Amino acid sequence: MQSFIEKFRRFMLGRNGVDQLTFCLLIIYLLINGIKMFFRFIPVVYFIMWGIALLVLGFAVYRVLSKNCYRRQYENGKFLDLLNKIHFDEIMMNFRRKFNRAKMRIMQIRTHRFRTCPNCNEHLRMSKKRGKRNITCPRCGHKFKAYIIF
């Protein structure tokens, strides 16, 4: 096993390897393959998607094995510039925030209920006590009523 790892290291010496663009291409390949499964019964669409997926995978493998590192770094830099233009970091941060909020709600569903302030859209956590509740938003001070049924 050790000799295989050493041979692989020697083979990859001077090659580009996996960077952000290659990783994104692999994710696109997996997404296309997942979507392709919905079109199993439409052969033309299925084979077109299969061909596109193979092209994306082939380009990703080409990038990994390429010895023209300067050109691959230039392509990766252009890709990162594009991500900065569309504010990808902010999009991912918002996605993570929403995912973590949903995860927190699922973990606390037995003991708490969550409501949104109609004035400022702040997410409020309250105990599971049933009935009509008068709530004051700690962020904006808006008072509103909430009903907790179960």
Side-chain angles (χ1 to χ4, degrees):
M1 185 68 178
Q2 194 68 4
S3 65
F4 172 75
I5 293 172
E6 192 58 39
K7 286 180 184 177
F8 185 73
R9 280 187 187 152
R10 274 190 259 125
F11 174 74
M12 288 302 290
L13 234 139
R15 297 184 190 271
N16 187 49
V18 179
D19 55 7
Q20 291 91 347
L21 177 55
T22 306
F23 188 71
C24 183
L25 287 171
L26 292 173
I27 290 174
I28 290 170
Y29 167 76
L30 292 173
L31 285 174
I32 291 172
N33 269 336
I35 294 169
K36 178 180 74 171
M37 290 300 127
F38 291 109
F39 297 102
R40 277 186 297 201
F41 303 112
I42 308 171
V44 174
V45 177
Y46 180 83
F47 285 113
I48 289 172
M49 303 260 312
W50 178 71
I52 293 171
L54 278 180
L55 285 173
V56 170
L57 180 64
F59 186 60
V61 170
Y62 169 75
R63 285 186 50 76
V64 169
L65 299 177
S66 174
K67 285 194 171 187
N68 190 353
C69 291
Y70 177 74
R71 182 70 182 160
R72 302 295 87 81
Q73 288 173 356
Y74 177 76
E75 292 167 356
N76 192 45
K78 288 292 185 184
F79 174 70
L80 293 177
D81 288 344
L82 175 69
L83 288 183
N84 285 337
K85 283 182 184 176
I86 63 171
H87 305 287
F88 184 72
D89 292 338
E90 294 174 18
I91 293 169
M92 287 306 295
M93 187 174 65
N94 287 336
F95 177 75
R96 282 189 202 107
R97 186 179 303 130
K98 288 179 182 178
F99 179 77
N100 287 338
R101 184 177 294 138
K103 179 178 149 187
M104 180 189 69
R105 284 183 177 203
I106 290 169
M107 289 174 58
Q108 297 179 358
I109 193 125
R110 291 185 179 188
T111 58
H112 294 86
R113 293 296 178 250
F114 297 87
R115 296 295 183 263
T116 303
C117 174
N119 191 33
C120 65
N121 291 328
E122 177 71 16
H123 295 272
L124 307 173
R125 183 181 78 144
M126 59 193 75
S127 64
K128 192 178 172 177
K129 180 181 164 189
R130 294 182 189 153
K132 183 167 68 169
R133 309 271 299 267
N134 292 321
I135 302 169
T136 303
C137 176
R139 183 175 177 193
C140 67
H142 180 71
K143 294 181 180 183
F144 62 99
K145 293 180 182 178
Y147 299 94
I148 299 177
I149 299 171
F150 56 91

